[in-house]
Amino acid sequence: MPDIPLSDRSPGAPRAAGSAAFSPLYQQIKGLLLQSLDRGEWKPGEAIPSEFDLAARFQVSQGTVRKAIDELAAENLLLRRQGKGTFVATHNEARVRYRFLRLTPDEGRPPVSGSRILECRRVKSAPDVARLLDLRMSETVVNLRRVLSFDQVPTILDDIWLPGAVFRGLTAESLARYRGPLYALFESEFGVSMVRAEEKIKAVRAGAEPAELLQVPEGEPLLQVERVSYTYGDRPMELRRGLYLTEHFHYRNSLN
Amino acid sequence: MPDIPLSDRSPGAPRAAGSAAFSPLYQQIKGLLLQSLDRGEWKPGEAIPSEFDLAARFQVSQGTVRKAIDELAAENLLLRRQGKGTFVATHNEARVRYRFLRLTPDEGRPPVSGSRILECRRVKSAPDVARLLDLRMSETVVNLRRVLSFDQVPTILDDIWLPGAVFRGLTAESLARYRGPLYALFESEFGVSMVRAEEKIKAVRAGAEPAELLQVPEGEPLLQVERVSYTYGDRPMELRRGLYLTEHFHYRNSLN
DNA sequence: CAGTGGTCTAGACCACGTG
DNA sequence: ACGTGGTCTAGACCACTGC
């Protein structure tokens, strides 16, 4: 299986020397691996071929494949396990489950969580939603609303939008039966792997409806988190607006 | 200069085979580089010796030094510049200036910022401050309070604690004259490089004093950010409690 | 024991920055 | 022209996993 769109690889080839668009071999390999991931050649949780096999397939040395995989592992798209192989990252594993959930109790153990679906309907996208999801204006989106509780206490109110064309057949009923992270469901049911997200955070006053759903007085300070999640190729696949009650919880973050 | 506390390096040495504490060579090199950084052998902004020189100094191959530096660069402790060398990271450079400032305007250009020092005094540390800074109870700390304005609008109220023993001679006067990020001042005046930080974020109601200083009504929702900053060796060196006005700004974050 | 990723080496050559 | 980091290769050996 000759995937050969690589640059000229003859021994002394100047590899686009001095050219504006010089791309190292391992970056090209990384791109090919990304394509395979995107096209679903290897599914989340599965092992990809060994470094040795990939080196043969791409006609490069093992070290070059290794460097490509290194970068994908650093970006959490792949997971290396010594002695076993390299695996496609998934939101379905204990180790990385709730990867994107940064809300933590001020003290004590991570609590038991439960989800209550408020709504799940297909609507025409509003302009701001369409823009953030890179859709045409008024294209159909799935709008999903839910309340997450920790130890029975309502704590997060989520308002979620998904591209309707991709998330066909997502209904309140199927969601009600489901246990576990949404992102795991997206992977297994819709083939959408969330790989990265950007968040914008503010402090806001609780309006009437959020106050009622979170069982706090109107005007209560809430953390407002707007998240856009991306799949392979930096394609936005989810817009999520969350309101977090931070009386006994905080949003943790690490700066490097 | 023989830095030789490395493991047995004779050709076929089993390098602590099967032992509980097996540490690869490049990790040992990384540790030695960290020590040199901590002890100030190379100052922020300066170049460290070339990979070739370091390889000779540590008696390992260039590739091994390279891998050690790779990790330090990934952690933002070092900065590689092709053709020039490898440099000690600093908060004094345009590229990484305000590395830890995550507050961004909702729209438009990054604003002009100004700082007003409210207070700078040496006090006995409260128990919670002592604990977070890893100090003995009641040890002296510097308490610094300031208001940061963006485009003349008061936006951040910072309450900062620093270990008194390290930050001798830090006064309101010296601060008033200073322009630029505090972390840059800490580097050049006190030899303290902040390398990493952990934050806990909540939404809170503005109390009387913060409301007055930020010129908003009492009860206004504010983002409360508690940050502990660490220098080399994960030693906590600053506790900062910030209140951010997020009406026209947001805290941005990336999830991977 | 075989297969996987992890470490280490040595050497060649390229790209970048500076004289 | 030289020195720096960046890429690529080839090969040896180690550590971990599972049969």
Side-chain angles (χ1 to χ4, degrees):
Chain A
M1 45 186 80
D3 315 51
I4 321 197
L6 303 179
S7 331
D8 180 356
R9 317 243 8 281
S10 51
R15 275 212 312 286
S19 107
F22 158 73
S23 174
L25 242 191
Y26 75 87
Q27 288 286 2
Q28 302 178 44
I29 304 297
K30 182 183 173 187
L32 294 174
L33 293 174
L34 267 170
Q35 283 178 32
S36 290
L37 287 168
D38 192 10
R39 121 169 47 97
E41 182 174 340
W42 314 301
K43 302 251 177 297
E46 287 179 10
I48 70 172
S50 75
E51 295 177 355
F52 188 82
D53 288 352
L54 289 169
R57 165 164 165 182
F58 295 132
Q59 295 286 290
V60 299
S61 80
Q62 188 192 353
T64 300
V65 169
R66 185 167 188 77
K67 185 146 190 191
I69 292 179
D70 275 344
E71 293 211 347
L72 293 170
E75 295 168 18
N76 292 309
L77 303 199
L78 295 177
L79 194 67
R80 324 188 77 138
R81 283 190 253 173
Q82 185 171 159
K84 302 189 68 173
T86 300
F87 297 78
V88 182
T90 172
H91 289 264
N92 253 311
E93 265 170 46
R95 282 201 359 77
V96 284
R97 218 155 158 156
Y98 302 111
R99 236 171 82 194
F100 288 177
L101 180 58
R102 304 294 270 264
L103 206 63
T104 307
D106 291 340
E107 40 200 28
R109 308 281 80 233
V112 181
S113 69
S115 166
R116 179 164 71 93
I117 306 295
L118 303 176
E119 204 165 22
C120 180
R121 34 178 207 142
R122 304 175 70 83
V123 298
K124 300 278 176 218
S125 67
D128 61 328
V129 174
R131 186 175 50 79
L132 289 167
L133 288 180
D134 212 3
L135 299 175
R136 287 184 303 281
M137 198 87 79
S138 305
E139 203 163 343
T140 300
V141 292
V142 179
N143 177 219
L144 173 59
R145 299 179 72 226
R146 64 170 182 178
V147 173
L148 290 183
S149 294
F150 293 140
D151 290 338
Q152 317 288 350
V153 181
T155 304
I156 297 182
L157 172 59
D158 269 332
D159 207 344
I160 300 173
W161 287 270
L162 304 161
V166 178
F167 290 85
R168 300 187 183 287
L170 183 64
T171 64
E173 293 70 46
S174 59
L175 284 165
R177 274 193 302 280
Y178 180 75
R179 297 276 169 273
L182 268 189
Y183 292 137
L185 178 73
F186 293 170
E187 272 177 15
S188 44
E189 296 299 311
F190 303 96
V192 175
S193 294
M194 299 302 188
V195 146
R196 194 178 72 75
E198 295 287 340
E199 297 193 329
K200 296 181 179 183
I201 304 172
K202 283 172 177 266
V204 301
R205 232 183 281 273
E209 200 200 16
E212 190 189 329
L213 290 165
L214 294 174
Q215 298 170 23
V216 295
E218 210 173 319
E220 182 81 6
L222 298 176
L223 212 60
Q224 173 190 279
V225 180
E226 179 180 284
R227 175 193 299 171
V228 180
S229 300
Y230 300 83
T231 186
Y232 300 115
D234 266 346
R235 301 196 308 273
M237 273 291 166
E238 182 202 50
L239 168 61
R240 184 180 290 210
R241 293 199 175 117
L243 292 172
Y244 299 0
L245 188 59
T246 56
E247 204 176 339
H248 303 295
F249 292 82
H250 62 267
Y251 181 106
R252 76 195 146 70
N253 197 25
S254 299
L255 308 181
N256 301 298
Chain B
M1 46 185 78
D3 314 50
I4 322 197
L6 303 178
S7 333
D8 181 356
R9 318 242 9 282
S10 50
R15 276 213 309 288
S19 105
F22 159 72
S23 173
L25 241 192
Y26 75 87
Q27 287 287 0
Q28 302 177 43
I29 304 296
K30 183 183 173 187
L32 294 175
L33 293 174
L34 267 170
Q35 283 177 31
S36 291
L37 287 167
D38 193 9
R39 119 169 50 97
E41 181 173 342
W42 314 301
K43 302 250 177 300
E46 286 180 11
I48 71 173
S50 75
E51 296 177 354
F52 188 82
D53 289 351
L54 289 169
R57 167 164 164 182
F58 297 131
Q59 295 287 291
V60 298
S61 81
Q62 188 192 353
T64 300
V65 169
R66 187 168 186 75
K67 184 146 189 190
I69 292 179
D70 275 345
E71 292 211 346
L72 293 170
E75 295 167 18
N76 292 309
L77 303 201
L78 295 177
L79 195 67
R80 323 189 77 136
R81 282 190 253 173
Q82 184 171 154
K84 301 190 67 173
T86 300
F87 298 78
V88 182
T90 171
H91 289 265
N92 253 310
E93 264 170 46
R95 283 202 357 77
V96 283
R97 217 154 157 156
Y98 304 111
R99 238 171 81 195
F100 289 177
L101 181 59
R102 304 293 272 263
L103 205 63
T104 307
D106 291 341
E107 39 199 28
R109 309 281 78 235
V112 182
S113 69
S115 166
R116 179 164 70 94
I117 307 294
L118 303 176
E119 204 165 21
C120 180
R121 33 175 207 144
R122 305 176 69 82
V123 298
K124 299 276 174 220
S125 68
D128 62 327
V129 174
R131 186 175 49 81
L132 289 167
L133 288 180
D134 212 2
L135 300 176
R136 288 184 301 281
M137 197 88 77
S138 306
E139 202 163 344
T140 300
V141 292
V142 178
N143 178 218
L144 174 58
R145 299 179 70 227
R146 64 170 183 178
V147 173
L148 291 183
S149 295
F150 293 140
D151 290 338
Q152 319 287 350
V153 182
T155 304
I156 296 182
L157 172 58
D158 269 332
D159 207 345
I160 300 173
W161 286 269
L162 304 161
V166 178
F167 290 85
R168 301 187 184 287
L170 183 63
T171 64
E173 294 70 45
S174 59
L175 283 166
R177 273 193 302 281
Y178 180 76
R179 297 275 168 275
L182 268 190
Y183 293 137
L185 178 73
F186 293 169
E187 274 177 13
S188 43
E189 296 299 311
F190 303 95
V192 175
S193 293
M194 299 302 188
V195 147
R196 194 178 73 77
E198 295 287 341
E199 295 192 330
K200 296 182 176 181
I201 304 172
K202 284 172 175 265
V204 301
R205 232 183 280 271
E209 200 201 16
E212 190 190 329
L213 290 165
L214 293 174
Q215 297 170 25
V216 295
E218 210 173 319
E220 182 81 4
L222 298 176
L223 214 58
Q224 173 191 277
V225 180
E226 178 180 283
R227 174 192 300 171
V228 180
S229 300
Y230 299 84
T231 187
Y232 300 116
D234 267 347
R235 302 197 306 274
M237 272 292 166
E238 183 203 50
L239 168 61
R240 185 181 290 209
R241 294 199 174 118
L243 291 172
Y244 299 0
L245 188 60
T246 56
E247 203 176 341
H248 303 295
F249 293 82
H250 61 266
Y251 181 105
R252 75 194 146 72
N253 196 27
S254 300
L255 308 180
N256 300 297

